[in-house]
């Protein structure tokens, strides 16, 4: 294992402790993605906080690519950023995306459509989930707030007028 792996290969390396795993990860180039499978939050915290990687996903693989709100990219040999203005600052500040998946049986049952064998219904469902959708616009909120402030001021003035009389 001398280079990054881009393919359906999962190397398995036997280790004796979490500290040894952190040491092994840190002894190599920074990975584009780091996947941890555990139910122990202490293990997640130790690996997340003591390693550097492009992305960090707990109890799943590749799912972070489908979350549009998470940045994608590497650090070090795994990727380069942008520059100029805030982008320049962001180039030298790596925001490590973290996604944790619960290993509970209910969650696995609900998301079982992700695993082969696939049927046409599952494929249609996956395609629908992966569609690029626009976020809803909340520009109307300022008008609602102004309406509520006006109503509150109007109600306050009415109450004050009744108290004066």
């Amino acid at each position: 294992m001398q280079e990054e792996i881009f393919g359906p290969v999962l190397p398995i390396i036997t280790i004796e402790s979490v500290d040894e795993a952190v040491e092994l990860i840190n002894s190599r180039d920074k990975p584009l993605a780091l996947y941890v499978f555990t139910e122990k939050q202490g293990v997640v915290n130790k690996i997340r906080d003591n390693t550097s990687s492009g992305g960090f996903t707990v109890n799943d693989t590749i799912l972070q690519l489908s979350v549009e709100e998470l940045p994608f990219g590497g650090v070090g040999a795994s990727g380069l950023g942008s520059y100029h203005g805030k982008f320049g600052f962001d180039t030298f500040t790596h925001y490590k995306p973290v996604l944790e998946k619960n290993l509970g049986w209910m969650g696995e049952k609900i998301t079982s459509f992700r695993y082969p064998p696939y049927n046409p219904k599952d494929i249609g469902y996956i395609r629908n989930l992966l569609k690029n959708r626009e976020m809803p616009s909340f520009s109307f909120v300022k008008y609602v707030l102004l309406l509520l402030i006006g109503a509150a001021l109007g109600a306050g003035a009415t109450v004050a007028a009744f108290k004066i009389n």
Side-chain angles (χ1 to χ4, degrees), residues 72-86:
F72 178 76
V75 289
S78 289
L80 301 172
S82 304
Y83 57 93
H84 289 188
K86 182 174 180 329

Side-chain angles (χ1 to χ4, degrees), residues 110 112-115 117-129:
I110 292 172
S112 64
F113 65 88
R114 299 184 315 147
Y115 307 112
Y118 299 111
N119 60 46
K121 181 181 174 186
D122 290 345
I123 292 172
Y125 190 64
I126 292 170
R127 282 190 178 137
N128 192 35
L129 285 175

Side-chain angles (χ1 to χ4, degrees), residues 35-72:
Y35 303 112
V36 176
F37 292 86
T38 182
E39 292 182 349
K40 297 178 180 174
Q41 192 61 44
V43 171
V44 171
N45 294 344
K46 186 162 199 161
I47 295 175
R48 182 194 61 221
D49 297 343
N50 293 292
T51 61
S52 181
S53 61
F56 186 83
T57 300
V58 179
N59 297 327
D60 211 329
T61 61
I62 306 179
L63 188 60
Q64 77 278 10
L65 296 175
S66 67
V67 181
E68 292 179 14
E69 289 77 16
L70 290 178
F72 178 76

Side-chain angles (χ1 to χ4, degrees), residues 139-156:
S139 60
F140 68 91
V141 171
K142 61 184 172 189
Y143 300 110
V144 171
L145 288 175
L146 284 173
L147 175 70
L148 293 174
I149 291 170
L153 289 174

